[in-house]
Amino acid sequence: MKQETMGQMEQTGKWWQQAVVYQIYPRSFQDSDGDGIGDLQGIISRIDYLKKLGITAIWLSPVYKSPNDDNGYDISDYQAIMDEFGTMVDMDLLIEKAAAAGIRLIMDLVVNHTSDEHRWFIESSSSKESPYRDYYIWRDPVAGEEPNGLRSIFSGSAWQLDEASGQYYLHLFSKKQPDLNWENPQVRKEIYDMMNFWLDKGIGGFRMDVIDLIGKQPDKGLTDNGPKLHDYLQEMNRASFGSHDVMTVGETWGATPEIAKMYSDPARQELSMIFQFEHVTLDQQEGKEKWDLKPLAIAQLKEVLSKWQTSLGDQGWNSLFWNNHDLPRIISRWGNDQKYREQSGKMFAILLHMMKGTPYIYQGEEIGMTNRPVQTIEEVQDIESINMYHERRAAGFSEEDIMVSINTKGRDNARTPMQWDSSENAGFTKGTPWLPVNDNYLEVNVERALADPTSIFYTYQKLIQLRKEHPLIVWGEYELIDTDKQVFAYYRRYKGEKWLVAANMSDEPQELELREKAKEVIISNNSALSLHSDKVILQPYDAFVVRV
Ligand code: NOJ
């Protein structure tokens, strides 16, 4: 992008281009009433902590009424709060208290599907003649079987037979998550009205769950990026959030930079940004499932992230993340969660937070939480892992291989309770936690992190602060530096200023040639780092940022 365009963008900059978002998975964040499940009052009690970290927005995973087949991603009432989490009064209070701390609340919008316990689906399945029948996707059997071979993302067929009517309904996730029929204008209107209900409460925007699926054409076997997807998003923008100063971020697993521009080019009036997932699929075998593992090639990571950094220009905006509630913990995944837990945690933070885009921190990432290994399937709660286990066992995979996949990629890894202190259950609950706390909580917890000025927490805090102070981080141009494959290094340039960011992504020392003199260290995770000669030795997982 040219300097002039950048200047322009900065002038017209939106709050969300300068925000750092913190994702809360409410079930696992903080319990206030001893039922072992996190809740809204628990979140309210931790707002001061989030303020101290410096984040300016929260993405709240679903808190709506739900039978919890998929931990709240199966919604039975969009305008009511899940019993375990509290009430609408608590929700209003959370919005208010967060606002008072300068934090906006981004709600999770799950409108590809509802729960099968949603009023619409109960009506829809009551009879073929119901006015709600067409809210969902019903099809007759073909030759006495499923209408076609579409598969659920949670294993098995995506079609479920309804004995009473003899028809099948579509569910791209669990059979308790029937897909809504977006071709029905009445469905779309109900959704926009519901969005306006939330916008009127003063929320900061929406994170849109699997939004790339809403234009599906199931009869053609087409699920993502369907032909009407962008028409729907433009209509949604006009009918709801377009007139509010909010941010929207779409979850779009199959997005390429070209597709990303369709969503987030400001001229198209769709979304603020999307989550692209190309980098988090690099340790998965080509054309296979996420469970089919292969080692990460750092060269590929550099290539993919750099491509995203440079290709959107002013026709889009990146979101930056390593973690969320569906992904394993980054330190366990591509770092070292034993000897170099702290050092690799800080390295990932520096590497990502110096990039261009809006960074997202997933709860616990800021204290270096790690995966929690399990021995048997009985210890697993996540529906995706459980369904995969049964499907693969039946297909002849070994128990051992499946458990390796689950321990590497299973979603429970990121969902263990937040580790607050060294008291029982890490201060998460006074009851029995719905999912066990990671055994390492005595070492890894917020209380300890806050007491140690060299902890990962303070690296995150400083990175957030730097972003607030330096337009270079928000707006600067990005350029990858060609280095040895284990070192990820890039420049950021803005209005005559130039920063060098470098990270050793390995367990071994690495050498980096310094082409320019380092004028000032902006941040580093190694206080002994020497930048005086033209060669820098980066110890395992060292990372630094210097002005050159
Ligand atoms: C994506 C969400 O992030 C995930 O947790 C959920 O299971 C699916 N969408 C279905 O809603």
Side-chain angles (χ1 to χ4, degrees):
M1 205 188 345
K2 300 227 173 58
Q3 291 282 341
E4 310 88 74
T5 353
M6 277 191 304
Q8 236 167 44
M9 262 182 91
E10 183 186 346
Q11 273 164 27
T12 56
K14 303 276 192 207
W15 64 265
W16 42 264
Q17 292 176 296
Q18 305 175 52
V20 177
V21 184
Y22 187 90
Q23 185 192 348
I24 291 184
Y25 193 67
R27 203 175 177 78
S28 302
F29 191 63
Q30 176 69 70
D31 180 20
S32 72
D33 60 5
D35 66 356
I37 295 173
D39 49 43
L40 297 178
Q41 284 295 340
I43 300 172
I44 292 171
S45 73
R46 295 298 184 179
I47 287 180
D48 284 349
Y49 167 74
L50 298 175
K51 193 174 172 189
K52 186 177 173 82
L53 180 60
I55 55 100
T56 47
I58 292 172
W59 152 23
L60 191 60
S61 276
V63 293
Y64 317 97
K65 203 162 272 291
S66 163
N68 282 302
D69 192 51
D70 185 20
N71 288 355
Y73 284 90
D74 49 319
I75 297 169
S76 54
D77 186 345
Y78 291 103
Q79 287 168 228
I81 300 297
M82 191 189 299
D83 293 334
E84 296 89 324
F85 290 174
T87 63
M88 197 55 90
V89 175
D90 299 323
M91 187 65 221
D92 292 338
L93 190 65
L94 172 58
I95 297 172
E96 188 188 314
K97 296 270 183 197
I103 298 172
R104 292 172 162 96
L105 264 186
I106 314 299
M107 300 298 283
D108 217 312
L109 183 79
V110 188
V111 291
N112 173 69
H113 46 268
T114 67
S115 162
D116 64 340
E117 297 180 32
H118 193 288
R119 180 176 59 83
W120 299 338
F121 191 76
I122 296 173
E123 289 277 352
S124 182
S125 47
S126 68
S127 109
K128 280 184 172 176
E129 277 67 51
S130 162
Y132 288 90
R133 188 68 171 182
D134 196 38
Y135 271 44
Y136 295 85
I137 300 169
W138 293 94
R139 294 290 183 269
D140 287 325
V142 172
E145 298 200 348
E146 285 84 4
N148 62 29
L150 264 184
R151 301 207 11 106
S152 156
I153 293 158
F154 288 167
S155 304
S157 170
W159 296 102
Q160 176 67 25
L161 180 64
D162 167 48
E163 303 272 349
S165 65
Q167 285 193 313
Y168 287 84
Y169 66 85
L170 182 76
H171 62 92
L172 291 178
F173 293 89
S174 98
K175 57 177 184 251
K176 284 185 67 62
Q177 293 167 297
D179 280 56
L180 283 164
N181 177 16
W182 272 76
E183 292 192 357
N184 180 342
Q186 190 56 31
V187 167
R188 304 204 299 274
K189 182 174 181 309
E190 297 243 30
I191 289 170
Y192 307 151
D193 288 349
M194 174 275 284
M195 292 172 73
N196 285 323
F197 164 86
W198 284 101
L199 288 163
D200 289 345
K201 287 184 179 288
I203 61 162
F206 295 105
R207 173 267 183 187
M208 302 187 179
D209 192 67
V210 290
I211 203 68
D212 56 345
L213 303 182
I214 63 173
K216 66 183 74 76
Q217 298 212 321
D219 303 312
K220 296 186 179 142
L222 177 67
T223 54
D224 62 348
N225 299 311
K228 295 220 193 102
L229 168 62
H230 296 279
D231 292 345
Y232 295 154
L233 289 175
Q234 286 170 12
E235 179 185 76
M236 179 193 277
N237 180 313
R238 286 193 301 273
S240 63
F241 59 84
S243 52
H244 297 252
D245 183 20
V246 297
M247 65 162 267
T248 48
V249 51
E251 185 198 22
T252 59
W253 278 82
T256 60
E258 286 317 306
I259 293 176
K261 289 180 193 172
M262 298 186 66
Y263 290 104
S264 63
D265 180 347
R268 291 173 52 85
Q269 311 249 318
E270 295 186 22
L271 307 181
S272 313
M273 64 186 114
I274 57 154
F275 289 124
Q276 66 81 18
F277 292 89
E278 207 180 336
H279 62 304
V280 294
T281 54
L282 293 176
D283 53 7
Q284 149 182 346
Q285 291 169 36
E286 195 101 12
K288 296 240 184 127
E289 298 184 331
K290 74 182 221 182
W291 311 108
D292 301 303
L293 313 173
K294 75 167 191 203
L296 170 73
I298 290 165
Q300 266 195 327
L301 182 71
K302 292 200 268 186
E303 185 191 309
V304 165
L305 286 180
S306 300
K307 176 180 76 185
W308 280 93
Q309 283 291 293
T310 52
S311 54
L312 296 184
D314 53 8
Q315 289 172 280
W317 189 253
N318 271 306
S319 49
L320 308 170
F321 68 97
W322 296 122
N323 293 280
N324 66 33
H325 64 294
D326 294 328
L327 301 173
R329 294 279 181 184
I330 192 65
I331 295 179
S332 303
R333 186 178 195 174
W334 294 339
N336 179 319
D337 64 8
Q338 303 296 319
K339 187 166 171 203
Y340 298 115
R341 185 186 65 84
E342 292 253 348
Q343 197 63 357
S344 61
K346 292 175 192 170
M347 180 278 291
F348 283 116
I350 294 170
L351 184 59
L352 194 76
H353 282 247
M354 281 294 141
M355 289 186 181
K356 183 171 184 169
T358 301
Y360 290 74
I361 300 169
Y362 176 66
Q363 66 185 43
E365 176 182 340
E366 77 282 11
I367 55 164
M369 281 178 62
T370 61
N371 283 355
R372 173 179 176 270
V374 290
Q375 311 305 322
T376 67
I377 192 68
E378 284 70 43
E379 295 171 73
V380 177
Q381 294 256 6
D382 168 33
I383 183 168
E384 183 190 38
S385 300
I386 296 172
N387 288 359
M388 177 281 285
Y389 173 90
H390 293 298
E391 186 173 69
R392 290 203 165 188
R393 282 304 279 150
F397 285 71
S398 79
E399 174 93 23
E400 200 189 331
D401 282 354
I402 298 176
M403 292 316 292
V404 168
S405 292
I406 290 179
N407 279 320
T408 312
K409 291 278 188 73
R411 304 194 299 180
D412 282 352
N413 280 309
R415 299 179 178 185
T416 60
M418 181 72 182
Q419 293 160 212
W420 294 104
D421 56 39
S422 55
S423 68
E424 205 183 344
N425 300 321
F428 164 68
T429 180
K430 297 224 171 352
T432 307
W434 72 275
L435 188 67
V437 172
N438 194 312
D439 287 342
N440 65 10
Y441 77 95
L442 291 178
E443 185 200 338
V444 183
N445 65 59
V446 167
E447 189 180 52
R448 271 189 71 151
L450 292 180
D452 172 6
T454 71
S455 71
I456 303 178
F457 177 90
Y458 291 108
T459 298
Y460 275 92
Q461 187 192 52
K462 177 151 188 193
L463 288 164
I464 296 169
Q465 189 56 31
L466 284 169
R467 183 169 284 265
K468 289 177 183 163
E469 287 164 2
H470 296 275
L472 174 145
I473 304 177
V474 180
W475 306 111
E477 218 177 292
Y478 171 101
E479 185 196 340
L480 179 70
I481 304 173
D482 189 15
T483 54
D484 276 352
K485 67 174 194 301
Q486 312 289 36
V487 176
F488 194 151
Y490 56 88
Y491 290 125
R492 298 293 310 275
R493 281 195 192 82
Y494 185 71
K495 293 189 175 165
E497 195 170 347
K498 185 172 172 188
W499 289 10
L500 162 68
V501 181
N504 175 0
M505 300 198 71
S506 77
D507 282 13
E508 305 291 328
Q510 304 287 337
E511 197 177 85
L512 173 72
E513 194 190 331
L514 266 194
R515 297 175 199 162
E516 288 122 311
K517 199 171 141 24
K519 294 188 186 133
E520 181 199 354
V521 178
I522 308 284
I523 188 170
S524 152
N525 64 354
N526 180 353
S527 55
L529 187 78
S530 166
L531 294 162
H532 300 301
S533 79
D534 55 4
K535 286 220 163 42
V536 187
I537 304 296
L538 290 160
Q539 296 304 323
Y541 300 107
D542 271 2
F544 69 84
V545 182
V546 290
R547 198 158 61 80
V548 292

